[in-house]
Amino acid sequence: MTLTNTKLSYGFIAKTLHWTMAACFVVSYCSVYYAYNFETKGSPGFQLARQYPFLAGISIGVLFLPRLLWKFLNAEPAIAPGPKWQHWAARVGHWLLYAVMILVPV
């Protein structure tokens, strides 16, 4: 596995940034779900579980800029063949996910 992207696949750094941010989103969601469904408000467990989304949000905010820079500074793998509307929808969906990565930490 190479560090940088190639024309055929994403590199180690891009994959690591991707999955680290995905894990932060999962931790954020699961900790809020746990706090409100399994702990009583005001308990120490509730307070602790409510801290994880803040930590995950800060992590997402910190990792967003390196991820965006890595996206622009590296070649992207070739797009699979398909209709133009699917390529357009994929690109719009991709940029909407980037918007979510900005809005979640805020």
Side-chain angles (χ1 to χ4, degrees):
M1 179 181 294
T2 63
L3 285 178
T4 59
N5 301 343
T6 66
K7 290 291 181 187
L8 299 175
S9 69
Y10 288 99
F12 178 76
I13 293 173
K15 289 178 182 179
T16 301
L17 286 169
H18 171 84
W19 287 111
T20 303
M21 292 184 79
C24 288
F25 279 100
V26 170
V27 165
S28 180
Y29 176 79
C30 289
S31 62
V32 170
Y33 183 83
Y34 172 79
Y36 284 100
N37 290 304
F38 297 106
E39 294 286 340
T40 56
K41 284 190 179 183
S43 71
F46 180 83
Q47 297 301 328
L48 181 63
R50 288 290 295 135
Q51 294 303 313
Y52 290 119
F54 294 113
L55 178 61
I58 290 168
S59 299
I60 292 167
V62 168
L63 290 171
F64 178 74
L65 185 59
R67 181 176 172 151
L68 194 63
L69 287 172
W70 192 256
K71 175 182 175 46
F72 288 124
L73 296 177
N74 278 287
E76 288 189 16
I79 298 173
K84 282 191 175 214
W85 69 269
Q86 285 181 349
H87 291 260
W88 179 83
R91 189 169 304 276
V92 168
H94 192 84
W95 284 106
L96 286 173
L97 286 172
Y98 274 103
V100 167
M101 284 186 254
I102 293 170
L103 294 174
V104 165
V106 172

